[in-house]
Amino acid sequence: MATKTGEGFSSSFGAIMAAAGSAVGLGNIWRFPYICGKYGGGAFLIVYIVFVLFIGMVLMMGEFVIGRRSGEDPMKAYPALKPKRPGWKYVGLAGLMTCFLILAIYLVISGWTLNYFWESLTGRLAGIADSDFGEHFKQFASSAGRPLLCVAIFLALTALVIVGGVDKGIERVSKLLMPILVVLLIALCVRSLTLEGASAGLSYLFKPDFSKLTGEGVLAALGQALFSLSVGMGVMIVYGSYLPKDDNILKTSLWITVCDFAIAILSGVAIFPAVFACGQDPTGGPGLVYQVLPVVFNSMGTIGRIFSITFFLLLSLAALTSAISLLEALTQWFSGKRLGRTGSALTVSLLVIFLAAAASFSFGDGIWSGFKIAGMSLFDLLDKLTGTILPPVCALMTIIFFGWVMNKEDIIDELSNHGMVKIGYFKLFYHILARVVAPLALLIVLVAGIIGG
Ligand code: PFF
């Protein structure tokens, strides 16, 4: 048990499941397939793998080290490791604020997913004509009551797990849900791959088309790598503070990274062959899951209904374990303010539901869609801030702290479990990746992003 509060994961396996639960989410199943297809399939994949391994995973190890070494929440962790530089606590604070914003928008999309799961289960989706799915989604997402109800239910489920505690709540639920998720996803892949015409979907996903890999695509790959691995915002500092003392940080990070990547790929394999086999448009963008896939499911008859229920259940479960990690990061921080676990989980939930409601009302033709900030609706603003701007900024600050400010001896001691584990990779990891490659790449992406508007 690493934290000052004595809470922590009970085993390395539990820690891996919980952190992989955080990583695997809407980002893998909803976002990855359409960005990958959009920016050149296999060409995007090559860049993505490089970013995941050499930047995302390095950050994850860095956050685990910061979290376990300090045993503190992100805001206290930085000054705890470098007492002479208390200003670094603002990096922790910025990460937590980013978590709050991500959680708000994440809840809205998770709410949609829950609604689609319900509508699949009750047969409502099966009764909609193919040409009406676009309108159905727009009407639902732009209405006020139902999306908010779905957000509230989803948030209540998330908070319930948090109140259960780190090992009895988060770890237990993740150990149960992650294997279920993998089984559901594999079942979907098998079905999708056995449809006639499935191979066109595979080549869309995997065949490298370098002409589509624009500068924007490279930026999207880095943003996606950070978002998907849940790094940069401090969530992995929080989970790091719960890691068992004898956990091998390199191995744990590798497992999480491999799991996250494999699930993103499998999601593409489950989605695109089916989309192509049913003659649908693969470039559906964010609407792919809510507007294109239901058409695909409906065209498959009875099996399509099972396919649909399974898919939206899968997506809801994946979103749940990610939302749990976001709420946990904020809850841990608030608990430090004498509120206790239950009190702080409830306080954060209450605060975040207001923002989620406002974001939901501002979506599409929603009742607050006329209210614009910098020319954008609140939903679009949050999407932009949390998707492309804040995570790389926070990630850059985190890696600078890790590579240039934190004591190297502390890092060696933590990665080697006080000399018990060999760390022959340290030179490459620390001197090349953590100090040079990762910060430079993040800086370039940020500057390019700002210049490109
Ligand atoms: N990694 C999650 C996903 O791919 O959906 C989203 C996420 C969770 C991002 C937690 C950031 C975070 F701190």
Side-chain angles (χ1 to χ4, degrees), residues 24 29 175-191 263 266 270 307 310-311 313-314 317:
V24 173
I29 306 169
K175 281 203 284 204
L176 175 77
L177 294 189
M178 290 308 285
I180 296 180
L181 193 138
V182 172
V183 172
L184 290 181
L185 189 56
I186 290 178
L188 286 179
C189 286
V190 171
R191 181 67 199 113
I263 292 196
L266 286 176
F307 211 87
T310 313
F311 179 81
L313 175 65
L314 168 79
L317 297 182

Side-chain angles (χ1 to χ4, degrees), residues 261-329:
F261 182 71
I263 292 196
I265 297 286
L266 286 176
S267 306
V269 172
I271 292 174
F272 286 118
V275 167
F276 274 84
C278 299
Q280 287 296 310
D281 180 11
T283 55
L288 185 71
V289 160
Y290 305 102
Q291 296 173 37
V292 180
L293 282 187
V295 180
V296 173
F297 298 143
N298 272 5
S299 67
M300 293 177 187
T302 322
I303 185 86
R305 174 115 175 250
I306 299 171
F307 211 87
S308 175
I309 296 171
T310 313
F311 179 81
F312 287 112
L313 175 65
L314 168 79
L315 200 54
S316 304
L317 297 182
L320 182 65
T321 48
S322 298
I324 286 171
S325 70
L326 289 161
L327 186 57
E328 174 61 21

Side-chain angles (χ1 to χ4, degrees), residues 22-23 25-28 102 106 227-228 230 233 235 322 325-326:
S22 168
L26 295 168
N28 304 61
I102 295 183
Y106 214 81
F227 186 83
S228 189
S230 306
M233 279 67 74
V235 161
S322 298
S325 70
L326 289 161

Side-chain angles (χ1 to χ4, degrees), residues 54-69:
F54 297 125
I55 300 176
M57 205 180 110
V58 172
L59 260 158
M60 186 183 290
M61 291 175 65
E63 287 197 31
F64 279 160
V65 167
I66 294 174
R68 190 168 71 177
R69 188 80 187 170

Side-chain angles (χ1 to χ4, degrees), residues 105-289:
I105 195 155
Y106 214 81
L107 286 172
V108 176
I109 303 170
S110 304
W112 297 345
T113 310
L114 204 58
N115 177 69
Y116 271 63
F117 167 61
W118 179 247
E119 290 191 339
S120 307
L121 202 66
T122 54
R124 170 110 206 268
L125 280 189
I128 296 174
D130 288 358
S131 55
D132 293 344
F133 275 111
E135 194 49 36
H136 175 74
F137 174 69
K138 215 170 122 195
Q139 263 187 14
F140 156 70
S142 301
S143 63
R146 207 176 157 94
L148 190 55
L149 176 70
C150 295
V151 166
I153 296 173
F154 193 87
L155 180 57
L157 285 174
T158 312
L160 208 66
V161 178
I162 299 294
V163 168
V166 174
D167 50 348
K168 303 224 165 51
I170 303 172
E171 183 176 346
R172 202 197 271 170
V173 168
S174 307
K175 281 203 284 204
L176 175 77
L177 294 189
M178 290 308 285
I180 296 180
L181 193 138
V182 172
V183 172
L184 290 181
L185 189 56
I186 290 178
L188 286 179
C189 286
V190 171
R191 181 67 199 113
S192 185
L193 286 173
T194 48
L195 289 169
E196 207 172 311
S199 58
L202 286 184
S203 59
Y204 179 77
L205 185 63
F206 292 122
K207 211 169 134 204
D209 180 350
F210 286 94
S211 68
K212 285 203 215 153
L213 185 65
T214 53
E216 189 188 287
V218 176
L219 301 189
L222 182 59
Q224 175 66 12
L226 299 179
F227 186 83
S228 189
L229 288 175
S230 306
V231 291
M233 279 67 74
V235 161
M236 292 301 173
I237 294 184
V238 174
Y239 278 13
S241 75
Y242 299 149
L243 279 183
K245 278 286 174 208
D246 59 352
D247 187 66
N248 183 333
I249 288 184
L250 173 72
K251 267 197 196 155
T252 295
S253 308
L254 252 177
W255 271 112
I256 298 163
T257 307
V258 169
C259 259
D260 187 62
F261 182 71
I263 292 196
I265 297 286
L266 286 176
S267 306
V269 172
I271 292 174
F272 286 118
V275 167
F276 274 84
C278 299
Q280 287 296 310
D281 180 11
T283 55
L288 185 71
V289 160

